[in-house]
Amino acid sequence: MESRILHSSSSCCYSSLGTVNRYRFSSVSSPKPLSVSFTQTARRRTKVSRVLSMSKKDDATGSLTYKDSGVDIDAGTELVKRIAKMAPGIGGFGGLFPLGDDYLVAGTDGVGTKLKLAFETGIHDTIGIDLVAMSVNDIVTSGAKPLFFLDYFATSRLDVDLAEKVIKGIVEGCRQSECALLGGETAEMPGFYAEGEYDLSGFAVGIVKKNAVINGKNIVAGDVLIGLPSSGVHSNGFSLVRRVLARSNLSLNDALPGGSTTLGEALMAPTVIYVKQVLDIISRGGVKGIAHITGGGFTDNIPRVFPDGLGAVIHTDAWELPPLFKWIQQSGRIEDSEMRRTFNLGIGMVMVVSPEAASRILQEAKNGDYVAYRVGEVINGEGVSYQ
């Protein structure tokens, strides 16, 4: 294995390959572990989507579910509960580590079986944006500004031209989130991956003042949910997407029904990086909680930022369902509840804000500064309901 390391950087950059010792972060120990505010980035989604087999026969008549496609969200939730017994405090979108007057906030993720479509479409220069987005969008939910990013690129045989395309996307993702690409690891493992395929994971670290951390503790009934639009499926739910594609009569080169691109282009649209927009909105006050809508959709992710006893009502007519999600639901005959628990449905980030902040944000959106929707409200009673 070869590490790519930059010891110091103030801008997004990348070092040349060099043979050095592999390095890793050691675990943190403390004589008073319960006094440390430390959350691990353990998602409610599970990563079994990486090993999905598409050989299961599909009768093309029933309603598809994420579990049918090999991903069991409930199993992932159960794993989080078990890990919580060993490492109390997990379950947030990012892990918080105290450092003086600040918290370092860390996140890690991959892009799942979206990589399978990258192999099929030959689109490799944007998948790195997805990789960066999945981690920096997690840590910004705490109000943290990303500082640096590291990547892990694994393949059976290193194709330098292909790897360069992937890393180009990582560089772009770091540019968009204004963080440094500090380094990474290239792992060449013959016989482990199929020829021409690779796997990716990424790790981001950011910082936020302790007195400015966004943690949802002051959310109350009557607060407003503001949704920021996604660019498409982002990087979750692709095991189900691929099952739908296999059932449909369309190929990745066909036009997306109701859309303006091919199906492959729509599915490969890179994940939106919300860092600049979210930090700008936070700087003007009134933001109490932020949920990154990843695996688990609205149903599982929004409650993660609420205090006990609070839930949300979502107004499904507050935004128009994008054509891509309409095609997925219709082609897979997927129930509304399954769509809401699997996909972002066109909203990639949800902010819980005061009514006053909501008015300001919506006015700015009306002025054309950005796009945002009032997607719901906080209510008494736990869970997410839809109207």
Side-chain angles (χ1 to χ4, degrees):
M1 296 185 182
E2 295 187 354
S3 294
R4 294 164 272 121
I5 303 174
L6 295 179
H7 295 285
S8 177
S9 175
S10 60
S11 62
C12 181
C13 48
Y14 213 81
S15 67
S16 60
L17 286 168
T19 302
V20 297
N21 292 329
R22 182 177 181 181
Y23 65 97
R24 57 174 65 108
F25 297 108
S26 60
S27 60
V28 178
S29 60
S30 170
K32 297 180 181 180
L34 295 180
S35 67
V36 178
S37 176
F38 186 19
T39 46
Q40 176 181 334
T41 310
R43 301 294 192 80
R44 293 191 181 185
R45 67 180 181 276
T46 175
K47 299 297 186 183
V48 297
S49 58
R50 292 185 180 273
V51 292
L52 172 67
S53 170
M54 297 303 292
S55 61
K56 182 177 178 181
K57 187 176 181 180
D58 190 344
D59 63 9
T61 59
S63 174
L64 291 179
T65 67
Y66 210 8
K67 190 171 183 178
D68 290 338
S69 303
V71 181
D72 189 342
I73 295 176
D74 292 325
T77 301
E78 175 60 25
L79 178 59
V80 170
K81 290 178 181 178
R82 295 187 187 187
I83 297 173
K85 295 177 182 178
M86 299 180 280
I90 70 160
F93 289 96
L96 275 66
F97 185 85
L99 184 69
D101 294 331
D102 303 308
Y103 281 120
L104 292 180
V105 185
T108 181
D109 211 337
V111 294
T113 58
K114 187 172 187 176
L115 287 173
K116 287 288 189 181
L117 295 189
F119 306 150
E120 293 179 33
T121 61
I123 300 174
H124 299 283
D125 56 351
T126 58
I127 200 74
I129 298 175
D130 292 291
L131 183 67
V132 176
M134 295 308 291
S135 289
V136 297
N137 284 345
D138 271 355
I139 66 175
V140 81
T141 64
S142 298
K145 181 188 186 306
L147 295 174
F148 58 84
F149 184 84
L150 299 102
D151 72 89
Y152 175 78
F153 178 95
T155 186
S156 61
R157 181 183 61 83
L158 183 60
D159 180 331
V160 176
D161 291 336
L162 186 150
E164 182 183 26
K165 291 178 181 179
V166 174
I167 294 169
K168 178 182 177 182
I170 296 173
V171 170
E172 174 60 20
C174 289
R175 186 196 66 79
Q176 290 184 25
S177 52
E178 296 185 338
C179 70
L181 178 54
L182 202 60
E185 175 95 347
T186 298
E188 201 166 8
M189 297 185 285
F192 196 82
Y193 296 97
E195 186 68 22
E197 295 191 355
Y198 57 86
D199 198 7
L200 294 172
S201 59
F203 317 87
V205 175
I207 193 167
V208 62
K209 290 292 183 183
K210 285 182 177 178
N211 61 6
V213 67
I214 306 294
N215 55 24
K217 290 182 178 180
N218 59 344
I219 294 174
V220 297
D223 283 338
V224 178
L225 272 59
I226 298 293
L228 304 180
S230 70
S231 59
V233 181
H234 282 183
S235 299
N236 293 102
F238 274 89
S239 295
L240 181 51
V241 167
R242 289 168 53 233
R243 191 67 176 273
V244 170
L245 184 61
R247 169 183 284 194
S248 75
N249 294 319
L250 296 180
S251 75
L252 293 170
N253 294 322
D254 288 325
L256 170 66
S260 57
T261 66
T262 66
L263 189 54
E265 290 169 339
L267 289 171
M268 288 301 296
T271 303
V272 175
I273 292 178
Y274 296 97
V275 170
K276 291 181 182 179
Q277 182 180 6
V278 168
L279 290 179
D280 180 59
I281 293 173
I282 289 173
S283 70
R284 283 171 281 171
V287 178
K288 300 182 178 184
I290 308 173
H292 185 198
I293 309 303
T294 57
F298 280 64
T299 303
D300 285 1
N301 282 298
I302 292 176
R304 294 169 65 182
V305 303
F306 289 159
D308 291 342
L310 294 179
V313 56
I314 300 296
H315 304 301
T316 57
D317 61 351
W319 74 99
E320 184 177 354
L321 188 68
L324 181 58
F325 293 103
K326 293 179 181 178
W327 172 80
I328 291 171
Q329 183 167 25
Q330 293 168 3
S331 297
R333 301 185 182 181
I334 303 173
E335 300 290 341
D336 285 344
S337 59
E338 189 70 15
M339 291 290 294
R340 293 163 179 166
R341 199 186 182 202
T342 304
F343 299 109
N344 65 59
L345 302 180
I347 300 293
M349 191 75 80
V350 171
M351 298 182 295
V352 185
V353 305
S354 66
E356 296 77 17
S359 297
R360 183 190 72 241
I361 294 168
L362 293 172
Q363 183 58 51
E364 290 171 351
K366 187 176 180 180
N367 293 340
D369 295 344
Y370 47 75
V371 179
Y373 306 97
R374 179 178 180 137
V375 298
E377 295 85 35
V378 180
I379 59 173
N380 291 310
E382 298 183 349
V384 177
S385 59
Y386 299 87
Q387 293 181 357

